[in-house]
Amino acid sequence: DGEDEVKQASSELGVPLVVKGERGDSGRNVEFVTSPEEVLPAYRRIAQREQSYGGRPSLQEMIRGQSYSVGGLFHEGRALRICAHKKVLTYPPFGGFTVKGVTSRPPGLLDESMRVFDAFGYTGLGHVEFIQDVRDGRYKFIELNPRVWGSIGLAEHAGVDLFAPYNALAQGESVAPDLNYREGVTYHRFSGEIRLILRQPSRLPGFLRDALDPRICSDFTWSDAGPHLFSLTLASVLNH
């Protein structure tokens, strides 16, 4: 019985913890619980939402610390290109996709990331996330996304061309590894900012400062504003 497993897992993990559905993104189908009494109700709510496709929520340990995103191009588990950033702002605010990030290369992070792709013998563009646990300083694996990721535009601003070598790899050509990228590059995502502002209006002044700061890169361009205007409309719908 699923609920018996939930009781056992929550007892082993302790609280706080995360109840997460099989499907959903940007914090949808995710609940954070801080007491044992909240675990089963949260599990039942998410299981009810996933009933149509037979989804079963999972319980995860809640890890507090700095979140990092690492993406790149890989061939049979070996990194050919890579770019890592520290998450400064996320949506949802308590943990989600990058709204604002800064490229960085903290000791040990890339090694941990490459171990994940190496273990799968992964080929293609891919992305992993880690949290550096405040309790012991270790990087704790959160998830692997075997696809293009939302903040991939930051790589270009950090001097990393992912697509030309990806095309060459797809054509069967040999691609030499180049794991360099510029550190300290700050980037924010327009659509993510709008969704965050709709939830936290206090973010608006910070968004305007970043938008007017030439040192901060963005995924927004006036020549291709359509997708962002669509995101603005969609974000308004999702937040109501």
Side-chain angles (χ1 to χ4, degrees):
D1 182 81
E3 293 196 356
D4 287 339
E5 293 178 14
V6 170
K7 293 175 183 177
Q8 181 179 349
S10 63
S11 176
E12 293 174 357
L13 291 172
V15 291
L17 53 78
V18 182
V19 184
K20 186 175 183 180
E22 283 188 16
R23 299 184 187 178
D25 56 46
S26 304
R28 287 179 292 174
N29 275 359
V30 176
E31 294 196 27
F32 294 86
V33 297
T34 56
S35 70
E37 295 76 21
E38 297 174 19
V39 176
L40 269 180
Y43 177 87
R44 289 167 180 161
R45 284 192 294 270
I46 295 177
Q48 179 65 32
R49 292 197 291 267
E50 298 201 308
Q51 191 172 26
S52 62
Y53 50 86
R56 292 185 62 189
S58 62
L59 270 60
Q60 299 178 355
E61 178 186 10
M62 183 182 288
I63 301 172
R64 301 186 186 277
Q66 177 61 58
S67 297
Y68 290 92
S69 172
V70 184
L73 175 65
F74 303 85
H75 179 57
E76 297 180 351
R78 184 177 130 186
L80 302 177
R81 300 289 187 275
I82 205 151
C83 186
H85 71 264
K86 175 174 67 175
K87 293 186 174 188
V88 178
L89 293 173
T90 65
Y91 184 86
F94 49 77
F97 66 79
T98 300
V99 170
K100 180 179 178 180
V102 181
T103 55
S104 62
R105 194 185 290 260
L109 176 63
L110 297 188
D111 291 337
E112 291 293 335
S113 303
M114 292 178 195
R115 286 192 187 100
V116 174
F117 291 102
D118 181 60
F120 286 98
Y122 184 82
T123 294
L125 294 167
H127 164 262
V128 290
E129 294 194 354
F130 286 88
I131 294 178
Q132 189 172 23
D133 197 325
V134 296
R135 297 170 296 184
D136 56 17
R138 295 175 59 192
Y139 296 104
K140 304 297 175 64
F141 172 74
I142 302 302
E143 65 178 5
L144 164 67
N145 295 306
R147 54 171 172 75
V148 171
W149 56 102
S151 55
I152 193 170
L154 177 51
E156 180 181 0
H157 292 289
V160 181
D161 179 4
L162 293 167
F163 300 109
Y166 178 55
N167 180 63
L169 195 65
Q171 298 296 324
E173 300 174 19
S174 177
V175 177
D178 180 359
L179 306 185
N180 294 307
Y181 60 90
R182 289 196 298 274
E183 298 177 51
V185 177
T186 303
Y187 174 85
H188 72 153
R189 296 170 63 192
F190 182 85
S191 59
E193 290 272 22
I194 297 303
R195 294 181 71 176
L196 184 58
I197 290 167
L198 289 171
R199 179 175 287 198
Q200 291 186 339
S202 60
R203 170 58 190 158
L204 180 58
F207 164 68
L208 294 175
R209 284 194 300 270
D210 289 345
L212 296 172
D213 189 337
R215 298 169 299 178
I216 295 180
C217 306
S218 174
D219 62 350
F220 179 84
T221 58
W222 286 108
S223 61
D224 190 22
H228 300 285
L229 296 177
F230 173 77
S231 294
L232 176 59
T233 304
L234 180 62
S236 179
V237 171
L238 292 174
N239 279 272
H240 287 85

